[in-house]
């Protein structure tokens, strides 16, 4: 441990891996922000806390099972010459879940149905939100940790990077969730991002890798445009008064 603390290479690896984990955590924060907007504020805060705590637990658990995790990348199924590992199957399943969930939410928003805008309370709605968070946490944790294994050799560095990233995700998730809830157009944009992320996960499962840089640049560019749009609306309201 002392050698790691005094090693410039270890600190460089920690900073690089932490930055990567934060970027990979954007998907998780977007999904959490959208999904908790379906329940009242007190339950939404608790759901965010539980969701991010589970994300941290899943990541550390997967890191402690490195041998098993690496085994998930070995082929277990071959279809028409294309080999699939358990990781591929989980990514495809998680991607399809994201696409289906986001499409359902978009349909509710466009049609203006009760499912699209009304916040539903109660234990049933809360536990359904938690169940969805658990499913997507597993998918995002798997992708995140396999990436971490490829970048760092020391388990301590990987755990430290994951913990720092999850703390930053927790701090940012509240403001992001409030912003999404207060601005309907932003929620629609976030749902479109989820469809895009779901497609990328499915593509990864089928061995067609879409560079994440393109996806995150598109998200950042669209978010910046939406931010200026919201700012312009606010300024017009002030002028009208």
């Amino acid at each position: 441990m002392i050698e790691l603390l005094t090693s410039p290479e270890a600190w460089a690896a920690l900073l690089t891996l932490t930055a990567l984990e934060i970027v990979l955590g954007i998907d998780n924060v977007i999904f959490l922000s959208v999904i908790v907007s379906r329940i009242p504020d007190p339950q939404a805060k608790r759901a965010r806390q539980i969701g991010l705590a589970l994300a941290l637990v899943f990541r550390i658990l997967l890191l402690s099972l490195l041998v098993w995790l690496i085994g998930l990348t070995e082929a277990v199924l071959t279809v028409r010459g294309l080999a699939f590992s358990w990781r591929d199957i989980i990514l495809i399943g998680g991607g399809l879940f994201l696409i289906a969930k986001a499409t359902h939410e978009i349909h509710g928003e466009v049609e203006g149905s009760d499912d699209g805008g009304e916040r539903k309370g109660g234990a049933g709605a809360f536990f359904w939100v938690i169940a969805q968070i658990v499913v997507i946490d597993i998918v995002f944790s798997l992708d995140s940790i396999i990436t971490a294994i490829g970048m760092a050799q020391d388990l301590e560095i990987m755990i430290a990077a994951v913990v720092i990233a999850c703390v930053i995700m927790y701090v940012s998730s509240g403001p992001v969730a409030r912003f999404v809830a207060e601005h309907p157009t932003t929620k629609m944009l976030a749902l479109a991002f989820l469809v895009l992320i779901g497609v990328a996960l499915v593509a990864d499962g089928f061995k067609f890798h879409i560079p994440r840089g393109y996806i995150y640049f598109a998200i950042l560019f669209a978010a910046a445009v939406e931010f200026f749009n919201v700012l312009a609306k606010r300024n017009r309201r002030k002028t009208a008064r």
Side-chain angles (χ1 to χ4, degrees), residues 159-176:
I159 291 178
V162 164
V163 171
I164 294 170
C166 283
V167 169
I168 293 174
M169 284 165 56
Y170 176 78
V171 172
S172 63
S173 65
V176 171

Side-chain angles (χ1 to χ4, degrees), residues 1 12-13 18-20 37 42 44 48 62-63 69 76 82 87 104 109 117 122 124-125 137 145 159 200 211 231 238:
M1 179 61 72
T18 300
L20 180 64
S37 68
R48 279 200 313 274
L62 288 173
L63 280 172
L69 189 62
V76 294
L82 189 62
R87 173 182 179 270
H104 175 74
E109 293 286 330
D137 267 347
I145 295 308
I159 291 178
L231 198 62
K238 287 181 181 178

Side-chain angles (χ1 to χ4, degrees), residues 4-22:
L4 286 176
L5 291 175
T6 57
S7 169
E9 292 82 4
W11 282 102
L14 176 62
L15 290 174
T16 305
L17 188 54
T18 300
L20 180 64
E21 290 294 320
I22 292 169

Side-chain angles (χ1 to χ4, degrees), residues 15 24 26 53 69 97 110 136 166 234:
L15 290 174
L24 291 173
I26 292 172
L69 189 62
F97 172 79
V110 172
I136 216 62
C166 283
R234 188 177 298 172

Side-chain angles (χ1 to χ4, degrees), residues 107-160:
H107 180 267
E109 293 286 330
V110 172
E111 293 297 323
S113 63
D114 291 337
D115 289 342
E118 186 179 347
R119 290 190 169 202
K120 296 181 180 179
F126 178 76
F127 285 116
W128 173 233
V129 165
I130 293 299
Q132 293 177 80
I133 289 172
V134 168
V135 170
I136 216 62
D137 267 347
I138 291 172
V139 176
F140 286 149
S141 295
L142 184 68
D143 208 23
S144 172
I145 295 308
I146 288 177
T147 302
I149 293 170
M151 287 196 62
Q153 302 298 322
D154 297 294
L155 183 60
E156 294 86 352
I157 291 176
M158 288 187 271
I159 291 178

